[in-house]
Amino acid sequence: MQQCEQIELSIRKKFHKALFSKFAKAINTYELLRPGDKVAVCISGGKDSMLMAKLFQELHRHHKFPFELVFLVMDPGYAPANRRAIEDNARLMEIPLTVFESQIFDAVYEIENSPCYLCARMRRGYLYSKAQELGCNKIALGHHFDDVIETILMGMMYGAQIQTMMPKLHSTNFAGMELIRPMYLIREEDICHWRDYNGLHFLQCACRFTENCSTCGEDGRSESKRMEIKQLIRQLRQVNPYVETNIFRSVENVNLATVIAYKQDGVKHSFLEHYDSIENE
């Protein structure tokens, strides 16, 4: 059996419940796909986006309704070895890539303050623009369940706000375009299990600032805020194994009657606005 067949079989069999079922559930629950959609599946070369591409291929084989896929790779200035690693993995996994180039790394390399934030914003804009040029109405990103949980906690602990990484968003700058996150319910540890089971090696980090990471597993170390949050969650899980699920459900069960203030459409509202008109116990 060829390796690509083995990879696809593992998605259908061994990892069906942990990966494909949750992928399909997110698409159905959050209405991420509609008949006639043309989706740009955005591939960075990491484990998450490469798995997302295979899950989309598997979904497309079911032909529940018609939709099109473009497997889009933006080269923002990768080192040749990293570009080659992405292309080699795509060949191995039989993912037909559409590659385009930009010079984002050059543009942000000399930026001292928040280069990662600027890079991410620019990458998103380039992906939207190219996807729209190719006739797509959606771009799909490979953020998973753990990314969602970490974003919630990062917002609370470092941003003094409660906000969620949403499963889908309308683009504010590209009319008619939408961003979707079909890996929304998939756990990172299950992605790692799938990767290791199939003996796959993906880019860990191909950023110009950290090119020494190149191709590796999960051994890369970072002192970033996200890594701090990962470590915190790991510690909390030792006390409460359901901590991640509870954090996720907390933003599905917000009780506005017990919230001091909240924002809606950019306007801040206080509980005092309706306090005197409500009978309190």
Side-chain angles (χ1 to χ4, degrees):
M1 182 184 294
Q2 293 184 351
Q3 190 168 359
C4 183
E5 292 179 273
Q6 176 186 314
I7 292 168
E8 292 173 350
L9 184 63
S10 73
I11 290 173
R12 297 188 196 111
K13 300 292 185 180
K14 183 175 178 63
F15 296 98
H16 187 275
K17 183 176 180 181
L19 298 179
F20 186 76
S21 290
K22 290 184 177 180
F23 184 79
K25 182 179 179 181
I27 286 173
N28 291 329
T29 301
Y30 303 115
E31 301 177 355
L32 303 184
L33 278 182
R34 294 179 180 174
D37 280 343
K38 186 172 182 179
V39 183
V41 181
C42 299
I43 297 175
S44 65
K47 67 185 189 315
D48 308 326
S49 61
M50 296 297 281
L51 172 59
M52 177 174 65
K54 294 308 295 180
L55 290 170
F56 262 117
Q57 284 183 327
E58 184 65 22
L59 185 70
H60 197 258
R61 290 189 185 101
H62 287 268
H63 289 297
K64 292 292 180 71
F65 55 79
F67 65 93
E68 297 181 60
L69 297 171
V70 175
F71 299 100
L72 190 60
V73 174
M74 180 189 66
D75 182 345
Y78 290 139
N82 288 334
R83 166 85 174 249
R84 208 160 38 243
I86 296 173
E87 294 172 336
D88 288 347
N89 275 325
R91 251 189 314 272
L92 172 69
M93 300 171 68
E94 297 183 6
I95 301 169
L97 299 182
T98 297
V99 183
F100 72 102
E101 298 179 356
S102 70
Q103 300 302 319
I104 291 178
F105 284 173
D106 286 341
V108 302
Y109 190 67
E110 301 298 332
I111 302 296
E112 294 185 6
N113 297 321
S114 303
C116 296
Y117 173 78
L118 178 60
C119 181
R121 290 294 300 271
M122 292 178 69
R123 288 165 73 104
R124 187 78 53 84
Y126 272 98
L127 288 168
Y128 267 127
S129 180
K130 187 63 177 181
Q132 193 171 56
E133 177 188 320
L134 294 171
C136 299
N137 64 311
K138 293 180 178 178
I139 66 171
L141 302 184
H143 297 115
H144 48 65
F145 183 87
D146 296 66
D147 291 323
V148 178
I149 302 308
E150 292 158 15
T151 297
I152 294 169
L153 285 186
M154 286 176 67
M156 295 174 66
M157 298 178 67
Y158 298 114
Q161 59 186 337
I162 296 176
Q163 62 178 12
T164 311
M165 178 182 282
M166 299 296 286
K168 64 180 182 180
L169 293 167
H170 289 293
S171 172
T172 54
N173 298 316
F174 296 86
M177 295 293 292
E178 193 174 4
L179 180 156
I180 61 173
R181 295 184 170 105
M183 306 270 282
Y184 203 76
L185 302 178
I186 295 177
R187 299 299 303 268
E188 184 174 24
E189 63 182 3
D190 292 322
I191 300 173
C192 293
H193 290 160
W194 168 81
R195 176 201 63 198
D196 297 341
Y197 176 82
N198 288 289
L200 297 168
H201 301 276
F202 300 116
L203 293 185
Q204 168 68 9
C205 180
C207 173
R208 176 72 62 81
F209 300 96
T210 54
E211 283 183 340
N212 60 319
C213 292
S214 191
T215 56
C216 56
E218 294 305 306
D219 298 326
R221 293 292 182 262
S222 170
E223 295 303 318
S224 67
K225 298 302 182 189
R226 187 169 292 275
M227 185 57 68
E228 291 177 17
I229 294 295
K230 278 182 180 292
Q231 293 170 351
L232 173 61
I233 293 173
R234 197 174 296 124
Q235 293 169 4
L236 293 173
R237 193 193 302 154
Q238 294 175 359
V239 179
N240 176 8
Y242 305 106
V243 65
E244 291 111 323
T245 301
N246 289 341
I247 293 170
F248 186 86
R249 289 178 177 170
S250 72
V251 294
E252 294 183 319
N253 296 298
V254 177
N255 185 349
L256 290 181
T258 63
V259 172
I260 296 172
Y262 65 93
K263 287 183 179 179
Q264 187 171 21
D265 299 327
V267 178
K268 187 172 182 179
H269 299 273
S270 167
F271 81 103
L272 292 172
E273 294 175 13
H274 307 289
Y275 180 76
D276 291 331
S277 62
I278 300 174
E279 292 185 5
N280 296 288
E281 295 182 0

